[in-house]
Amino acid sequence: MSASDEASEGQSGLVQTALFGLCPRCGAKALWEAPAAFAPTCRGCRLAFADYETRGRGLYFVLLPLIALLMAGALKLDEAVRPPLWLLLGLIVVLVPSAIIGALRLMKCALLLARLRAAGVLP
């Protein structure tokens, strides 16, 4: 086993970090405080997530195309299948927040991992 394998053995990847809220450094399940908001620090290794969190308008480049895609999909579904309004609204209420939160988690984790690597916290 090489030194780089030993250094990255306990670290989680992008998908595990985003979906399960695993700390990128120690693997503790402590990343998310809310559905798409980082906890201030890791309970396991005390890594300060707030110092590396993306703020501002950068995530709009992910959200706006996703929302447009979801709207186009809802219109195509309505045009093709003509489901009852209650079913369409039910799908929208479940699908849209899930897709937005999932996309936010993936993007925020990707940016967090990139910032941690650039700062030298992760190899």
Side-chain angles (χ1 to χ4, degrees):
M1 189 180 288
S2 69
S4 66
D5 290 340
E6 290 174 10
S8 63
E9 187 175 319
Q11 298 170 0
S12 58
L14 174 62
V15 175
Q16 293 86 6
T17 301
L19 291 180
F20 304 117
L22 303 178
C23 174
R25 184 162 60 180
C26 70
K29 196 171 187 177
L31 183 64
W32 301 111
E33 186 175 58
F38 289 141
T41 59
C42 176
R43 292 185 296 265
C45 64
R46 298 288 178 219
L47 176 63
F49 301 129
D51 295 345
Y52 301 99
E53 186 170 7
T54 303
R55 290 182 177 84
R57 298 182 184 113
L59 296 174
Y60 288 147
F61 293 111
V62 174
L63 290 181
L64 291 177
L66 177 64
I67 291 169
L69 186 69
L70 289 170
M71 288 174 58
L75 291 172
K76 284 291 185 184
L77 178 69
D78 184 47
E79 181 182 313
V81 181
R82 291 298 216 183
L85 182 61
W86 63 269
L87 181 62
L88 188 62
L89 288 176
L91 281 172
I92 290 171
V93 165
V94 171
L95 184 65
V96 170
S98 300
I100 289 174
I101 289 171
L104 277 174
R105 278 185 165 211
L106 280 172
M107 278 307 297
K108 287 179 93 170
C109 283
L111 292 171
L112 174 70
L113 290 173
R115 287 181 175 194
L116 288 172
R117 285 188 182 107
V121 177
L122 295 179

